[in-house]
Amino acid sequence: MRELGFADALLGWYDSNARDLPWRIGPGQIAAGDRPDPYRVWLSEIMLQQTTVVVVKDYFNRFTNRWPTVGALARASDADVMAQWAGLGYYARARNMVKCAHLIAGEHGGQFPQTYDALLKLPGIGPYTAAAIAAIAHGARDPVVDGNVERVLSRYFALQDTLNLTRPRIRELAQSLTPPNRCGDYAQAIMDLGATICTPRTPQCPTCPVAQNCQARAQGIQTELPRKPIKPAKPTRFGIIYVARRSDGAWLLERRPPKGLLGGMLGWPGSDWGTSPQTSPPINADWHTLNSVVKHTFTHFHLQLSVQTAQVSHQTRPLQGNFVPAPEFQRSDLPTVMRKAYDAALPMLQMN
């Protein structure tokens, strides 16, 4: 009885409060017979991993305007896709996205598989993304569990162990609560609830459609849940980065190896990132070290980069990387950490 009440209340709330998102088919449209495009669902879910909706909207619109179908994306060059992805972070997502597009176009006739198990076999698609595509695009009754869903269910059932211990139970509850019909709407409804009402720090319990039976609210502990395990402190790595500009305005850049951090992205030549980076200038020049360092945080570590700059003549030949003519260089093609280095170096280079 609780399960039916939960789903019904949530769907009733969603019908009037669904977020207007560029990749989403609203509940009214689905009722009228429209179906979500699996390509748009997949693309949005890949982009939304570790990234906020606000940031993803512009990227999603640019991608779908340029590559409106998975076939169009499969025909794009890797460099073009990585350039459009620049700044979104977690670049392994983009590399796997390209691989997946090629596979869909080449082996699946341009059509996404409809089942969770088949979707799970595709590059870059894990359990959450497979369930989201199956439920939202195909109406399958697969439980969709992201951070929002974990928070909602942890509070609704007052699960007081840490998340690493409660996740199996959360998945069981998510399965039992998912209704037999409107599975895609339900998946989006519970995620919307977590994103807009059952928020991490200040849940809006008076406006929550399922607050009446929320056990955490009844006990006054909703802001304490879910309990997260203590994370170890992130280590700090160090590196040296070299920003060189030629007298004709060209910039010295390199494309990073396809595998590894920032794989396949354009960037400034530099040292390895570790505890004691070794000086290895990519070109013979009069290098100047900036007084300040560039700081950036990745998933598993903090990074501090010492930035060196140089102005070089048109005849200078690089030992590493290639000069990119000024008209072909766009700051937006760089990943965020490389943009930070560019922004730090530019005032010094403009002075010389």
Side-chain angles (χ1 to χ4, degrees):
M1 190 69 178
R2 173 187 288 267
E3 288 80 3
L4 290 175
F6 181 92
D8 289 343
L10 196 55
L11 286 167
W13 171 82
Y14 179 72
D15 287 341
S16 301
N17 296 276
R19 288 182 292 176
D20 183 14
L21 301 174
W23 49 83
R24 179 178 287 181
I25 294 292
Q29 293 170 277
I30 291 178
D34 291 342
R35 295 301 308 169
D37 180 354
Y39 169 65
R40 295 172 71 87
V41 175
W42 165 74
L43 185 61
S44 67
E45 292 297 342
I46 297 300
M47 289 183 168
L48 285 165
Q49 294 170 13
Q50 306 292 327
T51 312
T52 65
V53 167
V54 172
V55 171
V56 165
K57 283 182 179 180
D58 287 342
Y59 280 88
F60 178 85
N61 287 330
R62 287 201 297 272
F63 262 76
T64 51
N65 286 335
R66 187 164 182 176
W67 302 299
T69 66
V70 69
L73 182 61
R75 291 189 294 272
S77 72
D78 290 2
D80 282 348
V81 174
M82 298 305 288
Q84 288 298 312
W85 189 276
L88 198 54
Y90 300 93
Y91 295 96
R93 293 181 296 168
R95 297 194 296 273
N96 283 325
M97 184 181 69
V98 171
K99 293 178 184 176
C100 187
H102 289 159
L103 197 61
I104 294 294
E107 299 186 18
H108 294 271
Q111 302 297 316
F112 280 82
Q114 297 190 17
T115 66
Y116 173 87
D117 289 339
L119 288 162
L120 199 57
K121 295 177 182 178
L122 297 174
I125 295 184
Y128 162 75
T129 305
I133 298 170
I136 297 170
H138 302 299
R141 191 175 178 269
D142 290 299
V144 180
V145 182
D146 69 349
N148 288 312
V149 176
E150 289 180 340
R151 184 165 58 257
V152 169
L153 297 185
S154 291
R155 290 171 175 173
Y156 191 75
F157 292 97
L159 304 178
Q160 298 190 45
D161 284 331
T162 54
L163 268 176
N164 56 314
L165 299 177
T166 59
R167 281 194 171 111
R169 177 58 177 154
I170 288 172
R171 186 166 182 82
E172 292 175 359
L173 292 167
Q175 178 72 72
S176 68
L177 290 165
T178 302
N181 301 309
R182 299 188 65 188
C183 300
D185 280 348
Y186 172 81
Q188 293 175 117
I190 193 169
M191 288 190 286
D192 275 12
L193 186 73
T196 63
I197 301 295
C198 195
T199 53
R201 294 180 179 82
T202 55
Q204 306 299 308
C205 297
T207 60
C208 176
V210 295
Q212 183 176 357
N213 292 318
C214 177
Q215 296 181 34
R217 188 193 184 203
Q219 298 174 41
I221 58 172
Q222 61 269 39
T223 58
E224 301 173 24
L225 302 179
R227 302 190 195 281
K228 297 182 179 181
I230 298 174
K231 294 182 179 180
K234 291 182 180 181
T236 298
R237 298 181 187 175
F238 303 88
I240 305 169
I241 206 160
Y242 301 92
V243 182
R245 187 168 64 173
R246 209 165 56 186
S247 56
D248 62 353
W251 296 91
L252 182 59
L253 291 158
E254 66 175 4
R255 190 167 295 280
R256 296 177 66 85
K259 294 184 178 180
L261 202 60
L262 305 183
M265 299 299 297
L266 277 178
W268 311 109
S271 69
D272 291 335
W273 299 343
T275 55
S276 301
Q278 299 299 308
T279 302
S280 55
I283 198 169
N284 294 321
D286 182 16
W287 292 98
H288 301 274
T289 303
L290 299 186
N291 293 328
S292 60
V293 298
V294 167
K295 297 180 180 181
H296 190 75
T297 296
F298 292 97
T299 305
H300 301 299
F301 65 94
H302 302 293
L303 176 65
Q304 293 188 16
L305 291 175
S306 172
V307 180
Q308 297 194 23
T309 66
Q311 291 274 14
V312 298
S313 70
H314 187 269
Q315 291 78 25
T316 307
R317 294 184 178 276
L319 306 171
Q320 179 182 348
N322 295 285
F323 279 103
V324 175
E328 298 177 15
F329 171 75
Q330 296 187 58
R331 176 184 177 277
S332 60
D333 290 347
L334 302 173
T336 301
V337 64
M338 298 298 175
R339 294 181 194 179
K340 290 180 179 180
Y342 170 81
D343 293 342
L346 189 59
M348 175 65 75
L349 291 168
Q350 288 175 332
M351 290 172 56
N352 298 330

